[in-house]
Amino acid sequence: MHIPLPKLRPYQTELAKRTVKNLKAGKSTIAVLPTGAGKSILALAILKMLGNPEVLVVVHTRVLRHQWGLWGIRVATWQSLRKKGVPKGVRLVIWDEAHHTLAPQY
């Protein structure tokens, strides 16, 4: 996966470094940023910092599925993940819009 990334903002760089440190230590992590703060770009930067592991991004809308698909990222809806499980070879799972996982219908 070769994705040209824009220069990260200082807060994105700091969050990316902390996230990578936690992931390399085997810890789960969640990144929380407001709308428009560049979470998707941050995720792509983190993937690059991790050496582009095989990743699965779980989404809840067609728009997000399309967005991640444009970058050549493997995408699943939570419904398909529930039915089929995590595909073999996936080393990292990213839940886009993770706060929706708390909803009763998610």
Side-chain angles (χ1 to χ4, degrees):
M1 166 181 66
H2 174 69
I3 300 168
L5 297 174
K7 183 174 166 73
L8 295 180
R9 299 172 188 144
Y11 66 86
Q12 290 171 313
T13 300
E14 178 59 31
L15 184 52
K17 287 178 183 176
R18 285 186 291 160
T19 301
V20 167
K21 180 180 176 184
N22 285 337
L23 290 171
K24 285 184 175 181
K27 298 178 183 177
S28 294
T29 188
I30 186 166
V32 179
L33 291 171
T35 302
K39 291 179 290 291
S40 298
I41 297 301
L42 175 68
L44 294 172
I46 290 167
L47 292 175
K48 188 173 184 178
M49 292 167 77
L50 289 170
N52 296 318
E54 188 64 35
V55 66
L56 176 69
V57 176
V58 182
V59 299
H60 71 291
T61 67
R62 290 184 182 115
V63 171
L64 290 173
R65 184 176 65 198
H66 178 72
Q67 173 188 309
W68 286 103
L70 288 174
W71 290 318
I73 305 277
R74 186 185 296 186
V75 183
T77 62
W78 65 268
Q79 296 96 331
S80 64
L81 182 66
R82 197 167 153 199
K83 288 179 188 175
K84 300 176 185 177
V86 176
K88 290 184 183 210
V90 169
R91 307 279 300 156
L92 179 66
V93 177
I94 296 174
W95 287 80
D96 197 342
E97 301 288 342
H99 60 280
H100 287 287
T101 61
L102 300 175
Q105 72 275 15
Y106 194 78

